[in-house]
Amino acid sequence: MSDKLTSSKDKILFTPGPLTTSRTVKQAMLRDLGSRDFEFIQTVADIRARLVQLAGVSPNDYAAIILQGSGTYALEAVISSTIPPDGKLLVIINGAYGRRTEAIAKTHKIPNVALTYPEDTQPDLAQIEAMLAADRAITDVAVVHCETTSGILNPIEAIGALVKKAGRRYFVDAMSSFGAVPLNLAESAIDYLVTSSNKCIEGVPGFGIILVKRATLLQTEGYARTISLNLLAQWQGLEKDGQFRFTPPTHTLLAFHQALIELEAEGGIAARAARYRANHDALIAGMSALGFETYLKLADQSYIITSFRYPKHPNFSFERFYKALNDKGYVIYPGKVGSADCFRIGTIGRIFPSDVRDLLSAIRETITEMGMC
Ligand SMILES: Cc1ncc(COP(=O)(O)O)c(C=O)c1O
């Protein structure tokens, strides 16, 4: 095996995921458990119960469903198997992940309409309210919580209040925020919320998670447009005997169980939010001192991930900058916004303000090497 693969010190991931995880989370995978094993079934039940608790809701009203695949599979499961044949989806878009939801609806030929905003702009609540009043065919509304494209945090509670008032179903893609941004599903009137194993709960990749309002899910019999992404069937399988319909990601689930225990030991979502916020505050202060500008106004900016504009200096090349940081052991992320040249730095995962300060020193060194200061 090459030295790189056996090296005990991994690079630190300042990305939107997969993220840096704790050694103990990785070590939890060093076991083989059968998918019908009693211990495995108990572990899955415990994971599902802990997820409902994290969501701040009663297990009588909400359930957690685990679905093999990445986060997008879980998004596609919700869209393709919970919208009725005569339904219509309103997608609120201000970034690439909102566009992905729209693309899923289009692929499944689900009637849809979009309210699209620039990537640095919050959705317009009055416009959403007016659209729901004007278009009675809309049955479901989808929005992204933290649009990881830019790092903007959308007002999902306020949108939820409008959706509830209008009597529609509400779907939130909270992929990069769940576990790190305090949120009450019931108060936000959320019917379906999606996240994944490798984001703020700090597990490793392998499955998506859907938190569902039981009463809403129970009305979806016969709506599924695929077999493997049938959310109701997945839930029924897990409820019946605690087992997955198809091969589960056993090792990933063991890691995730450990990650949930570590989240609780850290002090739950409030404590994790405080750590990520401290990471973010250190990043913003340090980058600003180095002359970098954020793409978003700070008021709209989440503490999950931050987009920085390319510096105007003629010596700046993102490829060189990225590679130099990578060689120093720090992985940042290219930008995804369409309207400006940006790169992104994530502040989630098993990283601390001291790691952010180390990254800032590496950035200072790199821009000096590039002759930018
Ligand atoms: C908000 C959001 N939605 C969807 C996805 C897609 O998840 P995946 O790449 O796990 O399919 C991501 C990934 O970063 C995301 O941040």
Side-chain angles (χ1 to χ4, degrees), residues 15-18 69-75 96-98 100-101 143-149 173-177 194-199 205-208 304-305 333 336 344:
T15 66
S70 78
T72 305
Y73 293 64
L75 296 179
Y97 294 108
R100 185 171 297 178
T101 294
V143 71
V144 179
H145 188 198
C146 172
E147 227 332 330
T148 325
T149 312
D173 170 355
M175 205 71 73
S176 60
S177 57
V194 167
T195 185
S196 77
S197 54
N198 58 280
K199 299 286 190 193
F207 58 88
I304 303 290
I305 190 161
Y333 218 64
K336 213 168 186 173
R344 288 177 285 173

Side-chain angles (χ1 to χ4, degrees), residues 256-275:
F256 192 73
H257 189 241
Q258 177 64 24
L260 283 167
I261 291 168
E262 291 179 15
L263 171 56
E264 196 177 307
E266 186 173 351
I269 292 178
R272 184 146 299 178
R275 172 161 62 88

